């Protein structure tokens, strides 16, 4: 399933669960979806990072990207396990430093600034302007629950003129942990004030879905 299909399924699920719970006597135990929480990457386009790496380090782009992404998640999870939390941007920059050394590329101060700017002020996927209003028009609240920093999430949505569509911008930095820690997801239901069976979570990563 590609990303656009995922968003379409999400909208269908929100609509289907609401109407089924209201219309079918066999579904009265099924609460309707009242909110949709997005992980960052169904909304923000990571291809910006790939394009920058390709431009700055064309000969070693694939190696650098693979090492950076793998270490980015590893550093987050290891810090949670070791109770040595730093926010998403710091963990991402630390993993970039490691990936550059492993790939044997010269990470200048300017290159570092450009690469990190893709995470500190992310760009949305082009079709979010079309899809998000349709989901909100179903009568559900929209929110983000992400490991990214609050400032980055706010910056990306504001720059794209989409901030007004979201009732909740939730960074796991609030609870000083990362998904998939249980209290990271609990932040979503606690902030919304509704049960977890009334929230639809939209995410790409297999561990996020699990």
């Amino acid at each position: 399933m590609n990303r656009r299909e995922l968003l379409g399924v999400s909208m269908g699920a929100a609509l289907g669960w609401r109407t089924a719970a209201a219309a079918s006597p066999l579904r009265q135990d099924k609460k309707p979806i009242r909110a949709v929480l997005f992980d960052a990457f169904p909304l923000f386009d990571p291809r910006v990072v790939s394009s920058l790496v390709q431009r700055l380090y064309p000969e070693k782009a694939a190696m650098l990207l693979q090492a950076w992404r793998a270490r980015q998640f590893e550093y987050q999870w290891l810090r949670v396990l070791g109770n040595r939390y730093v926010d998403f941007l710091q963990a991402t920059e630390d993993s970039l430093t490691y990936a550059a050394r492993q790939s044997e590329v010269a990470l200048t101060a300017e290159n570092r600034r450009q690469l990190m700017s893709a995470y500190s002020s992310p760009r949305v996927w082009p079709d979010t302007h079309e899809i998000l209003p349709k989901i909100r028009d179903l009568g559900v609240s929209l929110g983000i629950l992400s490991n990214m920093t609050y400032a980055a999430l706010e910056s990306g949505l504001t720059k794209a003129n989409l901030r007004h569509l979201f009732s909740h911008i939730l960074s796991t930095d609030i609870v000083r942990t990362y998904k998939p820690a249980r209290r990271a997801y609990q932040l979503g239901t606690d902030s919304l004030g509704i049960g977890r069976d009334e929230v639809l979570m939209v995410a790409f990563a297999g561990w996020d879905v699990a």
Side-chain angles (χ1 to χ4, degrees), residues 72-184:
Q72 185 181 33
F73 287 108
E74 289 174 5
Y75 276 8
Q76 292 174 35
W77 295 336
L78 285 170
R79 284 189 170 278
V80 169
L81 290 170
N83 195 29
R84 298 180 65 182
Y85 179 80
V86 296
D87 71 22
F88 178 86
L89 286 179
Q90 184 62 62
T92 297
E93 186 169 3
D94 291 345
S95 61
L96 173 60
T97 299
Y98 172 89
R101 289 173 180 168
Q102 186 182 57
S103 305
E104 297 181 343
V105 301
L107 186 62
T108 65
E110 176 59 19
N111 287 0
R112 180 189 294 271
R113 185 197 65 77
Q114 290 186 53
L115 290 168
M116 288 302 301
S117 70
Y119 284 105
S120 60
S121 187
R123 300 179 191 175
V124 299
W125 290 89
D127 61 359
T128 52
H129 294 86
E130 173 192 350
I131 297 296
L132 291 177
K134 292 180 179 179
I135 299 178
R136 198 184 68 164
D137 287 348
L138 297 175
V140 298
S141 297
L142 298 185
I144 298 180
L145 177 58
S146 169
N147 287 340
M148 294 181 73
T149 64
Y150 176 81
L153 297 171
E154 282 278 357
S155 174
L157 291 176
T158 300
K159 184 172 60 177
N161 197 28
L162 293 171
R163 177 62 181 87
H164 65 286
L165 296 175
F166 290 83
S167 61
H168 290 80
I169 306 297
L170 304 174
S171 167
T172 58
D173 189 48
I174 298 172
V175 289
R176 297 184 63 79
T177 191
Y178 294 109
K179 296 184 292 179
R182 184 180 182 88
R183 70 179 187 275

Side-chain angles (χ1 to χ4, degrees), residues 20-91:
S24 172
L26 299 178
R27 296 291 299 277
Q28 291 305 309
D29 61 330
K30 192 71 173 180
K31 295 182 179 180
I33 295 296
R34 297 173 57 191
V36 179
L37 288 178
F38 290 89
D39 180 47
F41 290 114
L43 301 179
F44 296 111
D45 188 350
R47 295 177 302 178
V48 176
V49 178
S50 301
S51 297
L52 276 171
V53 173
Q54 290 283 353
R55 178 169 60 83
L56 295 172
Y57 305 104
E59 295 183 358
K60 294 192 174 182
M63 183 184 303
L64 178 60
L65 280 168
Q66 183 178 2
W68 189 10
R69 183 166 179 78
R71 191 62 60 167
Q72 185 181 33
F73 287 108
E74 289 174 5
Y75 276 8
Q76 292 174 35
W77 295 336
L78 285 170
R79 284 189 170 278
V80 169
L81 290 170
N83 195 29
R84 298 180 65 182
Y85 179 80
V86 296
D87 71 22
F88 178 86
L89 286 179
Q90 184 62 62

